[in-house]
Amino acid sequence: MPAKPAGPTAPKALHIANEARRRIIEREWLQGQRIPDEADLAIEFGAARATVNKALQLLADEGLLERRRRAGTRVTINPARKATLTISIVREQVERAGMDYGHRVVAQRRSPAPAKIAKRLGLPQGTVLLHMRAIHYGNGRPFQLEDRWINLAAAPGLEKLDFWQLNANEWLVQNAPYLHAEIAFTAANADKREARLLQTQPGNALLIMQRTTWNELEPITTVRVACQPGYLLNAEGGYRPD
Amino acid sequence: MPAKPAGPTAPKALHIANEARRRIIEREWLQGQRIPDEADLAIEFGAARATVNKALQLLADEGLLERRRRAGTRVTINPARKATLTISIVREQVERAGMDYGHRVVAQRRSPAPAKIAKRLGLPQGTVLLHMRAIHYGNGRPFQLEDRWINLAAAPGLEKLDFWQLNANEWLVQNAPYLHAEIAFTAANADKREARLLQTQPGNALLIMQRTTWNELEPITTVRVACQPGYLLNAEGGYRPD
DNA sequence: TAGTGGTCTAGACCACCAC
DNA sequence: TGGTGGTCTAGACCACTAG
């Protein structure tokens, strides 16, 4: 008899994952210890092995389990805490906060890449890039400063656009999907220009987000975003609730 | 004839995912457009529908596709860029950087929760918590400052421990697994005490990481970590390479 | 109400590696 | 070399919702 009903509406794999998580948290399965193998758990939960596999892979992705062929599945001793940052386009961030969005281009010109930028992109120093700086506003107050370098070769069609009006951020998201990205965060003291543009004082601590993206062949763009003082970047961590 | 060989060693689902990603990136499948349904793709790739499903779910998790029953699968218009932060225990971070790890507890005492902390934990103001501050060192130089509040009720066995010697961070990771976590980043200017402890100047911009964790019943701990000036936090973004 | 994704099952073969 | 996880298949039923 093939295919039993897939459960009322509660994904069985999730149920198994949650139950396994409970056992780990309540120390029924101890750190470093082996847990029963997939076949046994399949019997216990009355599920197919594939379903148990899906559940355990979920926990392994979360870092709670370590799985190896032949060696079995063990509870991780020092689980790394994983968090997922969802970085949407600035406009959506601002609008989600219930503010009116605006943006203004401060500078835009072709310019040979400085050593630092060239290195970050992996391009020869002096390669001509499009350099632009813009301010994103929420309710008329500066929200983020954007300092972006764009590899013209990787963004066909971009030369013709008028970024004085268009939003480079959104154009790139929509027109130059990336394959690989590097993201880093740091803090910096606002310099005079940043302070002026953000309408704050020089020296104030700013959260800096630095992103570089590549397609399969070449770098697309690198951007340094300086957030307004006090900006709190939230990430989602932990596991989904039962 | 059941079960064909699972492919030489190349997971077929990954191959399909990569090919689909290529089609998106190279605009063969346009933003907002519907892509063929699972059954058709299964035929095209000579795979079972379950395999195609796995591949497309992967892309949906990455934010490249939006899938809805009956409506089909569409290419996301403004894909949110997702990044995964892997936050391991400080000692591992330091050691991975090739430095010697050390840590020193600066203060430790029971104390009623200040309003701000109580609110963050969702506990009544004045609840007695364990408050501790510690410095983590790399090669003898301050690496991170940790300011932690622990809910004693959620960490049984903790009262008896000697945190002047033990590493609270690691003890908690090993003994009080959390179910839910909130993580946030911001920047702050070092105050005098922070500057002294980090051996830097007051006013310097510090990257601040603020984490709070809960088990299924109650908050466990909240911690504010101040990183040394110039600290760069790397996240992993984008998609896995082909 | 019919088309699409979501999920499960039973069986199978394979890769890996601890023993 | 055998036990364990990794993956695939073919078939099935169900949930959701666009038309």
Side-chain angles (χ1 to χ4, degrees):
Chain A
M1 62 218 73
K4 226 180 52 185
T9 305
K12 197 182 267 193
L14 264 191
H15 170 70
I16 297 173
N18 287 331
E19 169 61 13
R21 194 147 43 217
R22 189 194 63 74
R23 292 181 189 180
I24 293 168
I25 289 171
E26 300 193 355
R27 327 302 301 274
E28 292 176 25
W29 289 344
L30 294 177
Q31 262 89 347
Q33 238 184 26
R34 251 187 88 169
I35 71 171
D37 65 32
E38 294 185 350
D40 288 345
L41 290 173
I43 295 171
E44 178 192 336
F45 287 105
R49 186 167 78 88
T51 306
V52 173
N53 180 278
K54 190 176 176 184
L56 296 188
Q57 290 223 354
L58 192 67
L59 297 195
D61 287 343
E62 290 174 1
L64 280 184
L65 293 178
E66 284 172 350
R67 322 191 70 209
R68 267 156 51 208
R69 284 164 155 135
R70 166 76 196 193
T73 299
R74 292 177 180 277
V75 180
T76 304
I77 295 183
N78 278 126
R81 282 112 194 278
K82 291 189 180 175
T84 302
L85 287 167
T86 303
I87 302 165
S88 46
I89 54 181
V90 191
R91 180 171 54 76
E92 286 181 1
Q93 285 181 59
V94 169
E95 288 174 350
R96 210 176 317 120
M99 298 186 289
D100 283 332
Y101 173 74
H103 104 289
R104 183 165 71 89
V105 175
V106 174
Q108 173 192 325
R109 67 164 187 278
R110 283 155 199 262
S111 173
K116 199 172 172 181
I117 299 297
K119 187 183 172 192
R120 199 183 291 162
L121 289 168
L123 290 172
Q125 188 172 344
T127 306
V128 172
L129 306 174
L130 182 62
H131 182 200
M132 49 183 309
R133 286 186 292 116
I135 312 176
H136 300 274
Y137 295 91
N139 278 352
R141 298 192 43 231
F143 186 75
Q144 286 186 349
L145 291 186
E146 174 181 331
D147 187 314
R148 182 184 292 277
W149 295 80
I150 305 173
N151 180 12
L152 292 161
L158 178 138
E159 309 84 356
K160 301 170 188 165
L161 297 173
D162 180 6
F163 278 116
W164 293 100
Q165 295 190 12
L166 213 68
N167 188 322
N169 187 345
E170 300 192 16
W171 188 88
L172 286 165
V173 168
Q174 290 172 16
N175 295 278
Y178 66 91
L179 192 63
H180 175 71
E182 285 179 12
I183 310 180
F185 298 90
T186 188
N189 296 96
D191 64 22
K192 284 180 185 171
R193 184 171 67 187
E194 288 168 333
R196 174 169 45 81
L197 295 176
L198 282 172
Q199 295 173 20
T200 182
Q201 302 304 315
N204 268 357
L206 307 177
L207 180 65
I208 306 293
M209 175 168 47
Q210 185 177 292
R211 285 192 289 155
T212 306
T213 57
W214 288 262
N215 63 24
E216 67 275 17
L217 298 173
E218 54 195 349
I220 302 171
T221 183
T222 186
V223 60
R224 178 185 190 273
V225 174
C227 305
Q228 62 180 171
Y231 182 85
L232 197 67
L233 177 74
N234 289 295
E236 174 193 327
Y239 315 123
R240 58 200 62 62
D242 289 325
Chain B
M1 61 220 75
K4 226 181 46 186
T9 306
K12 195 181 271 194
L14 265 190
H15 169 72
I16 297 173
N18 287 332
E19 170 61 14
R21 193 146 45 217
R22 189 193 63 74
R23 293 183 187 180
I24 294 169
I25 289 172
E26 300 192 357
R27 327 302 301 274
E28 293 178 23
W29 289 343
L30 294 178
Q31 262 88 347
Q33 237 184 28
R34 254 188 85 169
I35 71 170
D37 66 32
E38 294 186 350
D40 288 346
L41 290 173
I43 293 171
E44 178 191 339
F45 287 105
R49 185 168 76 90
T51 306
V52 173
N53 180 276
K54 191 178 176 183
L56 296 187
Q57 290 224 352
L58 193 68
L59 297 194
D61 287 344
E62 291 174 0
L64 280 185
L65 293 178
E66 284 172 350
R67 323 191 70 211
R68 268 157 51 211
R69 284 164 155 135
R70 167 75 195 194
T73 299
R74 291 176 181 278
V75 179
T76 304
I77 294 183
N78 278 127
R81 283 113 194 278
K82 290 187 181 175
T84 303
L85 288 167
T86 304
I87 302 165
S88 47
I89 53 179
V90 190
R91 180 172 53 77
E92 286 181 2
Q93 286 182 57
V94 170
E95 288 174 350
R96 211 177 314 122
M99 298 186 287
D100 284 329
Y101 173 74
H103 103 288
R104 182 165 72 88
V105 175
V106 174
Q108 173 192 326
R109 65 164 189 278
R110 283 155 200 261
S111 173
K116 200 173 174 182
I117 300 297
K119 186 184 174 191
R120 199 182 294 162
L121 289 168
L123 291 172
Q125 189 173 344
T127 306
V128 172
L129 305 173
L130 182 63
H131 182 202
M132 49 184 309
R133 287 187 292 116
I135 312 176
H136 299 274
Y137 295 92
N139 279 351
R141 298 191 45 231
F143 186 75
Q144 286 186 348
L145 291 185
E146 174 181 332
D147 187 314
R148 185 184 289 278
W149 296 79
I150 305 172
N151 180 13
L152 292 161
L158 179 138
E159 309 85 355
K160 301 170 187 165
L161 297 174
D162 180 6
F163 277 115
W164 292 101
Q165 295 192 8
L166 213 67
N167 188 321
N169 189 344
E170 300 194 17
W171 188 88
L172 286 164
V173 168
Q174 290 173 15
N175 293 277
Y178 66 90
L179 192 63
H180 175 70
E182 284 179 13
I183 309 181
F185 298 89
T186 188
N189 296 97
D191 63 23
K192 283 182 185 173
R193 184 170 68 187
E194 288 167 335
R196 175 168 45 80
L197 295 175
L198 282 172
Q199 295 173 21
T200 183
Q201 303 305 316
N204 270 357
L206 307 177
L207 180 65
I208 306 293
M209 173 169 47
Q210 186 178 291
R211 285 192 289 154
T212 307
T213 57
W214 289 262
N215 62 26
E216 67 275 17
L217 299 172
E218 54 195 347
I220 302 171
T221 183
T222 186
V223 61
R224 178 186 190 274
V225 174
C227 303
Q228 61 179 172
Y231 181 86
L232 198 67
L233 177 74
N234 288 294
E236 175 194 328
Y239 318 122
R240 58 200 63 61
D242 290 325

